[in-house]
Amino acid sequence: MVDFLIGLFLASLIVALFTTRLYRLLLWYSMNSLMLGSLALIIGKSIDDKAMIITGAITIVVKAIAIPYILKNLSQKFHFVRQITPEIKVQYAIMLVPAILVFTFYLSEPITHMIDTNANYVAISISSLFLSLLLMMEHKNVAPKIVGFLSMENALFLLGITATNGMPMLVELGIFFDLLMAIVVINLLFHKEELKI
Amino acid sequence: MNLSLLLLPAIIMFGVSFLKNKKAKYVLAFTSFVILGPIVELFLLPKPYNVLGSYLVADKLDTYVLLVSSIVGIGVTLALLTLDKHVKVSPKAYRKFYRFFAIFWVGLIFSILSNHMGIYWIGLELATLSTVYMIKTNYTPAAHKEAWNYMIVGAIAVSLILFGIILMYASAKPILGENAMQFDLLLKHAKEIPSPFLFEMGFAIATIGMFVKMGFFPMNLWLANIERASFYPVAALFSGILESAVVIGFFRFSQIAMKVNYNHLFIFVFVYTILTIFIVSFLIYRAKDFMRLFSLSGVEHMALIVIFWVSGAPFAALLHFGAHAFLKPALFLSTGVLESNGKYKIAGALRGYKGVKGTIFWFLVSLFLLAIISLPPSPMFFSEIYGFGAMISTAKSSHHMLAMIGAILFLLALLSIIFYRFVAIYQSMKYEGEEEEKTVYTSELVALVIFAISLMALLLPSSLAYLKSIG
């Protein structure tokens, strides 16, 4: 089940890279977060870690539901461009994505020997980090860049779950707080842009 | 002494920033002085002092960094009183600036005092996000663009730091459990970490994140562009406070990395800093305005602090750090006056100051400009002598002595380019160009005097003894 969810986590991120519509991108981000939250719930239950179960539930509520909803509202309020064509052409991106995956598996090989549990998942979370960076790079519009930044947080969260069997609860909650603060700042930045127009 | 006392000034500032009364800004400036009370008390308490369990612990290093940062904060709030006299700023933007400054200050207190990698990161992220809006208080398209740039590059940098922290935590968790996030325990058990490679990998990634935030190679120009586009107090906050929070993180992580494998750490940082100074020295040579000049010079000094620290000269690094934290905000705040008759006018910038206030202003700015290029008796002169001495000692004990001495000579040659450029700029400011009358206000002058006194205080025997006791 964990393998299946982690596969879907990666797949939703890859699909997001090829998306050309903003709302569809938000949907894929939501799916990505849902898979992450479910993973935290399942792994947390299997190792009997209540903190991980709580953070998994918060992930689903905040990242899979609240943040996509807020971003969709913001996009309507500030009339974002909804046609978001990636700067990297599909035929190149389709070669780049597997190259990143193979490269990160090769890159993280020495690390995976040192981690007893879920060693391959560490490689997947590192590749997710690179794919999120690619998502930020391949778009000129601000909205997909924000989604790229949020996906990067998801990749780091996955790394936290897989490499360390979960970080301390305090840190997880702090990260959520910072994420919400980021959304507030993003809202303010857009707000000013609108005032100027 | 508890945490609420330390946070109180920031909370008052946050509350007062909602008042629409024009006199409120004076209360805000006064509030920044209040922070000195709990910090002085922290100095007097025995170290290490637990401010909040084992999460926030005040030791000699972070008390020093906190004091330096609070003095910079006072100077910046004083200079903010006359911001509207030099640039166009709306009252609403003013209030929002203070609001986010309060949040920034809370983030920094957590970051500087943290004994926990996770809390350090949370504080740093909070401070980074609050700065984004401070950049935006300047309602220009350039500031708007740079605020987004800062948001995105800053987010990537802090994500890299978190990535590194997770790997470092993973490397030590088998022996320390959830306590593997604590700096003091990690330092104590550094030699027992079961997978040093994983730790070093995490350290390298976190360090790259911190170096990106400080404007090191290959991100040399992003900070300069942001500081150019935002109001000058933002640049002062960046150079005097935010970079302090980043560099204290580097000090903490590198203390552990030194115990894990000193040679790897030294070579990594040495190569990185030389590369950074190589690029920055030529960028400084081509700089055509004060903001970019001071910003790039800030990158150079941060690189020197980092290399002195890993060369085994913490005294030199901390003295350099303190001197830079006072000098650079002072210079950034001076740009408000220096650029009042045109942004890119270097020639004659130090001419046209009348009266007592004007004379004190140009005299202080001249001193700061000459002190930043380490002319004696600047504290930077002494820190560089100690720092380069330590680097040569490290080179002598290494297996590649000649290569390392060659690299140090190359570094000195690069620094001489910067020295030459600053002297040329100073001469142009003082002896070239037309004389145009400029106004200096009392509050900004008081801020500069505070920085000058703090710089002199750094050279007191008791201050030097305190810094030596940290190493």
Side-chain angles (χ1 to χ4, degrees):
Chain A
M1 188 63 180
V2 174
D3 287 347
F4 177 66
L5 284 175
I6 214 159
L8 285 182
F9 174 87
L10 192 60
S12 56
L13 186 58
I14 292 171
V15 176
L17 281 165
F18 295 97
T19 309
T20 56
R21 304 295 298 174
L22 182 62
Y23 288 177
R24 202 43 63 93
L25 181 66
L26 292 177
L27 175 77
W28 289 120
Y29 168 70
S30 174
M31 287 294 126
N32 188 260
S33 307
L34 183 68
M35 297 311 142
L36 182 68
S38 311
L39 266 169
L41 287 176
I42 291 172
I43 296 176
K45 205 177 169 196
S46 68
I47 59 170
D48 198 22
D49 185 347
K50 279 184 186 146
M52 200 188 283
I53 294 171
I54 294 168
T55 47
I58 298 174
T59 303
I60 292 174
V61 175
V62 175
K63 291 184 177 176
I65 302 166
I67 290 179
Y69 179 76
I70 294 169
L71 284 178
K72 193 176 176 184
N73 271 0
L74 282 178
S75 74
Q76 285 166 348
K77 191 175 164 189
F78 297 110
H79 312 293
F80 288 5
V81 180
R82 282 162 58 184
Q83 178 72 39
I84 43 157
T85 315
E87 290 296 305
I88 301 172
K89 286 180 183 170
V90 179
Q91 59 266 40
Y92 299 130
I94 219 155
M95 287 190 283
L96 204 56
V97 172
I100 288 174
L101 287 171
V102 172
F103 170 72
T104 45
F105 268 85
Y106 174 75
L107 181 80
S108 54
E109 206 198 339
I111 303 175
T112 50
H113 289 308
M114 293 162 201
I115 294 169
D116 307 327
T117 51
N118 310 325
N120 280 330
Y121 302 163
V122 176
I124 291 177
S125 47
I126 295 172
S127 60
S128 304
L129 189 85
F130 282 113
L131 292 176
S132 307
L133 279 171
L134 184 66
L135 182 62
M136 287 174 95
M137 280 158 53
E138 71 169 9
H139 287 281
K140 272 191 174 171
N141 300 60
V142 171
K145 281 187 193 292
I146 295 168
V147 177
F149 155 66
L150 296 169
S151 305
M152 214 155 79
E153 292 259 84
N154 278 0
L156 289 171
F157 192 85
L158 182 69
L159 183 71
I161 296 173
T162 53
T164 68
N165 273 336
M167 286 189 290
M169 184 72 179
L170 182 78
V171 180
E172 302 279 18
L173 291 178
I175 294 170
F176 277 119
F177 173 71
D178 279 342
L179 197 62
L180 292 176
M181 172 80 184
I183 296 295
V184 171
V185 172
I186 286 167
N187 180 23
L188 284 170
L189 285 178
F190 278 124
H191 197 66
K192 290 297 157 192
E193 187 174 52
E194 180 68 6
L195 274 181
K196 229 182 1 270
I197 295 162
Chain B
M1 233 295 287
N2 59 32
L3 184 63
S4 52
L5 264 180
L6 274 168
L7 297 178
L8 189 65
I11 295 165
I12 296 172
M13 198 178 270
F14 187 79
V16 174
S17 70
F18 285 94
L19 299 178
K20 289 186 178 171
N21 191 324
K22 279 188 177 176
K23 301 271 178 199
K25 64 180 182 182
Y26 297 103
V27 181
L28 292 166
F30 172 75
T31 315
S32 65
F33 278 93
V34 180
I35 187 82
L36 276 182
I39 293 173
V40 169
E41 198 188 335
L42 261 188
F43 254 97
L44 301 174
L45 289 166
K47 307 283 179 327
Y49 178 79
N50 291 30
V51 180
L52 185 74
S54 58
Y55 295 118
L56 300 181
V57 178
D59 60 11
K60 283 189 165 184
L61 173 64
D62 47 30
T63 314
Y64 168 67
V65 175
L66 204 56
L67 178 70
V68 170
S69 305
S70 62
I71 293 171
V72 177
I74 291 168
V76 171
T77 47
L78 282 174
L80 272 171
L81 290 175
T82 51
L83 177 67
D84 53 348
K85 304 255 176 27
H86 298 294
V87 292
K88 279 180 190 166
V89 53
S90 71
K92 197 178 168 190
Y94 230 123
R95 288 196 297 276
K96 280 197 174 169
F97 189 97
Y98 274 110
R99 205 167 301 155
F100 280 87
F101 182 63
I103 300 171
F104 173 75
W105 193 239
V106 171
L108 278 166
I109 289 174
F110 278 101
S111 212
I112 293 172
L113 288 178
S114 66
N115 179 37
H116 192 278
M117 292 193 290
I119 294 176
Y120 168 76
W121 184 86
I122 292 163
L124 193 65
E125 169 85 328
L126 194 61
T128 305
L129 290 172
S130 51
T131 346
V132 173
Y133 197 75
M134 284 197 254
I135 299 166
K136 191 69 189 71
T137 46
N138 187 3
Y139 292 163
T140 60
H144 176 79
K145 181 176 163 277
E146 293 305 333
W148 274 115
N149 271 352
Y150 186 72
M151 174 84 202
I152 290 162
V153 182
I156 293 173
V158 287
S159 298
L160 283 174
I161 298 174
L162 182 62
F163 186 85
I165 287 174
I166 295 171
L167 291 184
M168 283 188 269
Y169 175 62
S171 73
K173 202 178 177 185
I175 52 163
L176 294 171
E178 285 214 343
N179 291 332
M181 279 266 175
Q182 288 185 21
F183 286 122
D184 56 349
L185 287 176
L186 272 173
L187 190 61
K188 201 185 281 178
H189 298 276
K191 295 250 181 240
E192 301 153 33
I193 290 175
S195 41
F197 177 78
L198 188 60
F199 180 87
E200 285 184 279
M201 187 88 169
F203 170 76
I205 292 169
T207 303
I208 290 171
M210 286 185 267
F211 284 177
V212 167
K213 263 192 92 66
M214 291 195 283
F216 282 25
F217 176 83
M219 305 295 287
N220 299 103
L221 272 172
W222 82 289
L223 267 181
N225 289 340
I226 287 162
E227 289 173 349
R228 175 70 274 171
S230 49
F231 288 139
Y232 57 88
V234 176
L237 285 178
F238 267 61
S239 61
I241 308 184
L242 189 61
E243 289 190 355
S244 308
V246 180
V247 92
I248 198 175
F250 175 78
F251 289 166
R252 299 265 183 234
F253 291 123
S254 60
Q255 275 175 332
I256 307 159
M258 273 179 202
K259 288 201 172 180
V260 174
N261 191 325
Y262 179 70
N263 287 337
H264 288 178
L265 166 79
F266 183 77
I267 291 296
F268 174 67
V269 175
F270 193 64
V271 171
Y272 212 116
T273 47
I274 286 189
L275 208 54
T276 300
I277 293 177
F278 175 72
I279 307 279
V280 162
S281 58
F282 291 104
L283 289 173
I284 287 179
Y285 193 77
R286 287 169 52 87
K288 288 179 179 64
D289 65 300
F290 288 117
M291 279 294 198
R292 284 201 175 86
L293 178 77
F294 296 149
S295 178
L296 291 166
S297 151
V299 177
E300 171 225 336
H301 286 290
M302 281 295 155
L304 285 177
I305 292 166
V306 162
I307 190 69
F308 292 164
W309 179 266
V310 297
S311 301
F315 167 70
L318 292 171
L319 184 62
H320 204 90
F321 161 79
H324 179 258
F326 293 136
L327 278 170
K328 205 42 72 64
L331 285 170
F332 274 124
L333 294 180
S334 310
T335 53
V337 182
L338 293 173
E339 292 188 342
S340 52
N341 288 344
K343 269 183 182 175
Y344 301 106
K345 223 180 240 181
I346 286 179
L350 271 183
R351 301 175 75 183
Y353 297 98
K354 308 280 183 219
V356 179
K357 278 194 269 185
T359 311
I360 298 174
F361 177 81
W362 80 253
F363 180 71
L364 283 177
V365 174
S366 306
L367 280 185
F368 293 146
L369 266 173
L370 298 176
I372 203 80
I373 47 169
S374 313
L375 278 181
S378 162
M380 284 190 168
F381 171 74
F382 300 105
S383 62
E384 285 187 9
I385 289 205
Y386 274 102
F388 280 105
M391 283 170 76
I392 289 168
S393 305
T394 313
K396 279 200 288 196
S397 59
S398 81
H399 298 298
H400 315 285
M401 191 182 85
L402 279 178
M404 283 188 66
I405 299 252
I408 293 167
L409 288 174
F410 179 59
L411 192 60
L412 286 170
L414 294 173
L415 292 183
S416 68
I417 295 173
I418 298 169
F419 183 90
Y420 167 77
R421 180 66 183 148
F422 264 84
V423 171
I425 283 174
Y426 174 71
Q427 286 178 331
S428 170
M429 286 165 79
K430 190 75 192 113
Y431 305 111
E432 291 173 7
E434 290 168 16
E435 195 166 309
E436 290 171 273
E437 198 168 334
K438 291 156 201 159
T439 317
V440 183
Y441 297 94
T442 311
S443 62
E444 54 210 26
L445 199 59
V446 172
L448 295 191
V449 170
I450 290 175
F451 287 128
I453 293 170
S454 309
L455 264 177
M456 285 190 277
L458 265 183
L459 287 176
L460 291 175
S462 54
S463 310
L464 297 177
Y466 183 86
L467 292 182
K468 275 186 179 161
S469 70
I470 295 175

